[in-house]
Amino acid sequence: AYFALQVIYARRKYKISPPETTGHPEFERIFRAQANCSEYFPIFVSLLWVAGIFFHQGVATVCGLLYLYTRFKYFQGYAVAAQGRLGPLYASTRLLWLLVGLAVAGLLAHFLLP
């Protein structure tokens, strides 16, 4: 919701009415950052859910909070400059892969171990 609100504020600030997605470069970066975060959210929630149920809730929670923090930093960096998104993007990607590993380990343990 925070990211969507930032897009609304940027639309007002730069006078860009929906459904336009182009205009001032700062608006375009904010819009793209919000869209990118929205695209990854279903993947994140699914992995978080599976890792939390089948691996360990505490570990999944820590990974989830770190992922949300890195996405917040990604949004902030992208809003300033396109290059500002890269460090947090790589960190959030590593966290997603960690959640994949935890989910797979939990599923294997659940279904293969007696």
Side-chain angles (χ1 to χ4, degrees), residues 1 23 51 56 64 84 103-104:
H56 190 275
V104 168

Side-chain angles (χ1 to χ4, degrees), residues 36-107:
N36 288 348
C37 291
S38 296
E39 290 165 357
Y40 278 92
F41 195 71
I43 297 167
F44 162 67
V45 170
S46 300
L47 290 172
L48 183 67
W49 179 71
V50 174
I53 289 176
F54 291 101
F55 188 79
H56 190 275
Q57 290 178 355
V59 175
T61 299
V62 169
C63 289
L65 290 172
L66 286 172
Y67 177 82
L68 291 175
Y69 176 74
T70 59
R71 273 310 197 176
F72 176 71
K73 297 305 282 181
Y74 168 87
F75 187 89
Q76 286 183 325
Y78 205 167
V80 173
Q83 292 298 329
R85 76 190 195 286
L86 295 177
L89 175 66
Y90 297 144
S92 67
T93 302
R94 285 191 292 273
L95 286 164
L96 279 180
W97 278 110
L98 178 59
L99 283 172
V100 167
L102 296 176
V104 168
L107 287 168

Side-chain angles (χ1 to χ4, degrees), residues 5-63:
L5 287 173
Q6 295 308 306
V7 172
I8 291 169
Y9 299 147
R11 282 188 184 281
R12 290 179 185 158
K13 181 177 180 180
Y14 298 109
K15 297 175 178 57
I16 300 171
S17 299
E20 293 294 321
T21 59
T22 59
H24 193 277
E26 186 174 340
F27 167 76
E28 289 183 16
R29 287 193 309 271
I30 291 170
F31 180 80
R32 192 67 236 153
Q34 186 269 336
N36 288 348
C37 291
S38 296
E39 290 165 357
Y40 278 92
F41 195 71
I43 297 167
F44 162 67
V45 170
S46 300
L47 290 172
L48 183 67
W49 179 71
V50 174
I53 289 176
F54 291 101
F55 188 79
H56 190 275
Q57 290 178 355
V59 175
T61 299
V62 169
C63 289

